[in-house]
């Protein structure tokens, strides 16, 4: 670990040298090279700077958006939106946020509806509401649309879409970071944390593992100062996720005793083959289970659905008609859709906003004129080549590697409920160092915490699948305490 810190210091020194040493110029050939490099970097950053974003309120921080090529041969490029921290950005860590799906946009959900600074509002005239609980209060905030085919991210090789999976997503996201740091070298030495929700329960640990492994073998200039990651309502282990979904639904009066008992008897979640046959009894029972979520919001049990003119909007589709991971994506239509939080029509506003030509121009997006509209979740991604049934081995490895790891759960989510996450963490077999303890949001209980040896678990009371949307103040407290590695308040304040 000492050698890594030495290498990191060296990288920071070299980057600083390349950007600032030669402002005055010494006349040497080496000075001329570094001067040109610095000017090139400044020009690239300036080209990505976002100015004149329609409907944007005035802010004191800079933000940037654009593309980073991750595979030159295939023409794969990922779209990002980056917000500098509101105060003292040079001293704040860098936080990468990933949404899941797979196939859903971190711009549409994370940035525009959960934890970014700007939320699109209803109306024909573009208007962005400033989010007082934006996470760039705590960190420099980077959103990434990944993999290719999601949002504005694209590939010039159409066959790439049919080859997507966890492995290529992690590899491309790693290449994105390496190349993004070349464009923004002033953040190379900053502490990096990765966070995400839902299927990012796969993305976040897998990308963290790639960085962790690559840091042992890459050149100093590509060393990434990864310190930890956080996963919310994350898909991490198929068996416990599925078992917990059914128990949560029964415990929250969503399904009947008869259906619950039938699923327990006929479905073996530790054996995915038991759900293969459409005609077998397990599949029939699971279809009845999912029928419930055609009429209520699976992602926030007690929130209303979006209704326009007495009709639910097209965003509101039933989800996940199969449990088995490697069958989910190819067989089910509408699996990626989900209702939004406090305003269940928020996704309608952001979808209209990001399809405006003036918005795309301001964000330097859609430069290749993608032949389909921007959507929250890609209809193009119908196949997923690889998805392990559990990421717990990766989490164990990274705990042993010394990374800071927090897992959090909004407790009104029915998709990856708190019940599932508790079963999953128990399966890790970690020693509990401090058991079920309340934490406070001012005078009210914000949720509960469990401290394990090597991992912290936090619940957020009354929050659905997308915690920052349902509990913005509490979620900002969560990320602030995670980044500073401090305990959430154990008493009212």
């Amino acid at each position: 670990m000492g050698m890594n810190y030495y290498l990191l210091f060296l990288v920071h020194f070299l980057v600083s040298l390349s950007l600032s040493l030669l402002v005055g110029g010494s006349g040497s050939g080496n000075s001329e090279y570094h001067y040109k490099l610095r000017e090139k970097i400044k020009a690239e950053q300036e080209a990505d700077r976002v100015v004149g974003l329609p409907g944007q309120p005035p802010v004191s921080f800079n933000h940037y958006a654009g593309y980073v090529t991750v595979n030159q041969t295939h023409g794969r490029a990922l779209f990002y939106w980056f917000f500098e921290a509101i105060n003292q950005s040079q001293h704040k860590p860098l936080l990468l946020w990933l949404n899941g799906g797979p196939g859903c946009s971190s711009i549409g959900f994370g940035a525009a509806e959960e934890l970014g600074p700007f939320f699109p509002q209803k109306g024909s005239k573009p208007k962005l509401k400033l989010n007082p609980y934006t996470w760039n209060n705590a960190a420099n905030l980077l959103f990434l649309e990944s993999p290719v085919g999601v949002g504005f991210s694209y590939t010039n090789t159409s066959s790439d879409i049919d080859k997507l999976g966890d492995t290529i997503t992690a590899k491309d996201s790693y290449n994105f970071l390496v190349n993004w740091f070349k464009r923004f070298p002033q953040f190379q030495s900053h502490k990096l944390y990765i966070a995400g929700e839902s299927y990012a329960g796969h993305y976040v640990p897998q990308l963290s593992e790639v960085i962790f492994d690559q840091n042992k073998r890459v050149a100093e200039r590509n060393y990434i100062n990864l310190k930890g990651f956080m996963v919310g309502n994350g898909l991490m282990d198929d068996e416990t996720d599925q078992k917990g979904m059914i128990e949560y639904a029964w415990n929250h009066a969503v399904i009947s005793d008869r259906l619950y008992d039938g699923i327990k008897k006929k479905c073996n979640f530790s054996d995915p083959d038991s759900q293969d046959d459409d005609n077998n009894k397990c599949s029939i029972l699971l279809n009845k289970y999912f029928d419930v979520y055609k009429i209520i919001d699976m992602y926030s049990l007690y929130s209303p659905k979006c209704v326009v003119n007495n009709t639910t909007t097209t965003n509101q589709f039933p989800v996940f008609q199969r449990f088995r991971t490697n069958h989910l994506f190819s067989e089910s239509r509408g699996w990626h859709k989900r209702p939004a939080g406090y305003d269940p029509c928020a996704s309608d506003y952001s979808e209209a906003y990001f399809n405006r030509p003036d918005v795309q121009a301001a964000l330097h997006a859609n430069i290749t004129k993608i032949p389909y509209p921007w959507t929250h979740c890609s209809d193009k991604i119908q196949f997923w080549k690889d998805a392990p049934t559990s990421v717990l081995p990766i989490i164990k490895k990274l705990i042993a590697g010394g990374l800071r790891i927090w897992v959090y759960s909004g407790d009104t989510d029915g998709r990856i409920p708190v019940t599932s996450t508790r079963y999953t963490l128990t399966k890790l077999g970690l020693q509990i160092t401090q058991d079920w303890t309340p934490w406070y949001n001012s005078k009210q209980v914000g949720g509960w915490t469990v401290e394990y040896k090597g991992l912290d678990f936090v619940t957020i009371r009354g929050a659905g699948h997308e915690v920052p949307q349902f509990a913005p103040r509490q979620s900002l407290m969560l990320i602030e305490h995670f980044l500073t590695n401090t305990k959430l308040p154990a008493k009212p304040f």
Side-chain angles (χ1 to χ4, degrees), residues 68-318:
V68 172
T69 299
V70 296
N71 186 297
Q72 195 76 42
T73 304
H74 284 223
R76 291 205 299 271
L78 299 181
F79 183 78
Y80 79 92
W81 197 357
F82 171 59
F83 302 90
E84 290 184 351
I86 293 174
N87 295 305
Q88 297 185 315
S89 63
Q90 69 274 23
H91 301 303
K92 295 284 177 68
L94 175 65
L95 179 69
L96 171 66
W97 175 268
L98 303 171
N99 277 89
C104 293
S105 167
S106 300
I107 303 298
F109 290 134
E113 298 173 25
E114 297 185 68
L115 54 116
F118 307 131
F119 291 172
Q121 301 297 291
K122 183 179 181 179
S124 57
K125 184 178 180 181
K127 181 182 178 182
L128 295 174
K129 177 184 177 181
L130 192 62
N131 173 20
Y133 301 106
T134 173
W135 284 16
N136 71 325
N137 281 299
N140 297 286
L141 193 53
L142 177 60
F143 296 94
L144 176 64
E145 290 192 310
S146 177
V148 292
V150 174
F152 294 122
S153 296
Y154 68 88
T155 177
N156 293 330
T157 306
S158 58
S159 61
D160 283 349
I161 301 297
D162 297 330
K163 298 175 182 177
L164 293 175
D166 284 12
T167 302
I168 190 66
T169 300
K171 180 180 178 181
D172 279 359
S173 296
Y174 174 77
N175 289 336
F176 165 83
L177 281 173
V178 169
N179 291 328
W180 188 85
F181 280 125
K182 292 177 181 176
R183 191 173 303 176
F184 291 88
Q186 66 267 39
F187 293 99
Q188 177 86 41
S189 62
H190 286 227
K191 295 177 180 178
L192 172 69
Y193 298 91
I194 306 174
E197 66 195 8
S198 196
Y199 198 80
H202 279 220
Y203 290 165
V204 170
Q206 289 166 341
L207 175 57
S208 298
E209 182 184 35
V210 173
I211 296 171
F212 182 82
D213 290 343
Q214 288 295 111
N215 273 350
K216 298 174 182 177
R217 60 178 70 103
V218 296
E220 291 92 336
R221 65 181 179 277
N222 288 334
Y223 183 89
I224 294 174
N225 191 18
L226 177 66
K227 294 299 183 182
F229 64 83
M230 184 167 68
V231 172
N233 291 84
L235 187 77
M236 294 182 285
D237 184 86
D238 285 359
E239 179 189 4
T240 50
D241 288 342
Q242 295 164 13
K243 176 183 176 182
M245 283 175 68
I246 300 303
E247 291 200 8
Y248 185 89
W250 180 74
N251 282 319
H252 286 75
V254 171
I255 60 174
S256 69
D257 294 357
R258 179 178 295 180
L259 181 56
Y260 173 63
D261 290 338
I263 291 174
K264 285 203 301 182
K265 290 176 182 177
K266 300 298 181 182
C267 297
N268 180 4
F269 295 129
S270 62
D271 177 17
D273 290 331
S274 68
Q275 303 157 43
D276 268 353
D277 186 354
D278 281 343
N279 296 317
N280 73 24
K281 292 182 179 180
C282 175
S283 293
I284 293 170
L285 292 168
L286 290 179
N287 285 336
K288 290 181 180 179
Y289 161 81
F290 280 114
D291 282 344
V292 177
Y293 292 114
K294 295 177 182 178
I295 58 175
I296 64 173
D297 184 347
M298 188 184 206
Y299 294 85
S300 180
L301 291 191
Y302 307 113
S303 294
K305 299 185 74 175
C306 179
V307 178
V308 179
N309 297 327
N310 297 320
T311 304
T312 55
T313 69
T314 54
N315 275 13
Q316 321 306 314
F317 288 127

Side-chain angles (χ1 to χ4, degrees), residues 54 352-366 369:
Y353 186 80
F354 290 120
N355 275 297
R356 291 180 61 100
D358 54 349
V359 170
Q360 293 180 4
L363 292 174
H364 321 115
N366 200 13
K369 303 302 177 186

